[in-house]
Amino acid sequence: LSGLAYSLFLTRIFPGSSEPLFIDQGAIGRRRRAKRVEWLSGACLLVRRRLVEKVGLLNEDYFFYLDDIDWGQRMGRLGIALHYLPWVRVLHDHGVTYRRVLKRFNTKWLEMLFDYVRRERGTIEAGLFRAFAVLGFLVRFVYYGAGAVRGDADRRYKLAETAAFLRYSLGIGRRAGSPAG
């Protein structure tokens, strides 16, 4: 259900509905106390050494993406509580390597996400999850398309990026990490 909530912007109506796969930082960030979550972003994470020894290292099968979600899930299965601290601020320029350095739209995260859901939930749920992603990217494509028509440069970029995500989710067009066009 978290995939459906995220894909269809339901998180705007029901904050927190996209957990466990997507942390709604806007909703959680307004809190004054720590919130227990199922995973934490590897961009800023503090873990005791004894926990790393107990849980093991990050799964190298997930390159760049989903390794932190997988790790959080493994910790949860061992009864280890993870907490998001909304008062801690970290600047993470999400996607800068692909966008500025590689000059490509990043579909690698989708590849890892679809693979993760398949591994954890099976092929039927993975197929449903992919269908939700396609539906969500179609909704976003229409939304960003309206802004692009009005000449909004940010929306034009998001429209092209969403088109790449949609093509990847449908299994057509360019392969993961292909150049932006």
Side-chain angles (χ1 to χ4, degrees):
L1 290 176
S2 64
L4 179 63
Y6 177 78
S7 296
L8 299 180
F9 292 114
L10 296 179
T11 55
R12 304 274 189 210
I13 302 167
F14 306 107
S17 61
S18 64
E19 292 176 23
L21 282 179
F22 303 98
I23 295 175
D24 185 351
Q25 292 179 345
I28 294 173
R30 291 187 289 272
R31 297 169 57 100
R32 296 244 185 247
R33 61 186 195 276
K35 176 177 175 29
R36 188 169 179 171
V37 294
E38 293 189 33
W39 69 280
L40 293 164
S41 172
C44 181
L45 184 61
L46 183 62
V47 179
R48 294 178 190 263
R49 179 184 176 129
R50 66 180 167 81
L51 292 180
V52 174
E53 291 169 350
K54 182 177 181 179
V55 176
L57 298 174
L58 294 170
N59 185 341
E60 291 181 11
D61 290 343
Y62 298 110
F63 176 72
F64 263 134
Y65 304 97
L66 279 289
D67 50 352
D68 43 14
I69 292 177
D70 175 69
W71 209 36
Q73 294 297 312
R74 286 191 280 142
M75 288 183 189
R77 286 193 285 269
L78 293 173
I80 299 168
L82 299 174
H83 291 88
Y84 180 89
L85 308 177
W87 57 88
V88 174
R89 299 283 182 223
V90 174
L91 176 61
H92 176 210
D93 196 351
H94 186 79
V96 72
T97 301
Y98 274 89
R99 196 170 52 252
R100 294 185 189 155
V101 177
L102 299 176
K103 307 284 188 215
R104 298 176 179 182
F105 292 124
N106 178 8
T107 56
K108 188 69 175 177
W109 69 275
L110 280 172
E111 177 185 343
M112 295 290 103
L113 180 59
F114 293 154
D115 185 51
Y116 177 80
V117 173
R118 183 189 51 75
R119 287 182 189 196
E120 291 292 314
R121 305 304 291 243
T123 55
I124 293 172
E125 286 191 44
L128 285 171
F129 188 83
R130 187 179 283 260
F132 293 156
V134 167
L135 182 58
F137 291 133
L138 281 171
V139 169
R140 284 170 169 73
F141 189 80
V142 170
Y143 173 76
Y144 295 133
V149 168
R150 291 192 306 268
D152 184 331
D154 289 336
R155 292 267 180 99
R156 279 195 309 271
Y157 179 85
K158 293 300 280 179
L159 180 66
E161 181 182 53
T162 301
F165 295 163
L166 181 59
R167 283 191 306 270
Y168 184 85
S169 298
L170 289 168
I172 59 175
R174 300 177 182 158
R175 290 184 9 232
S178 61

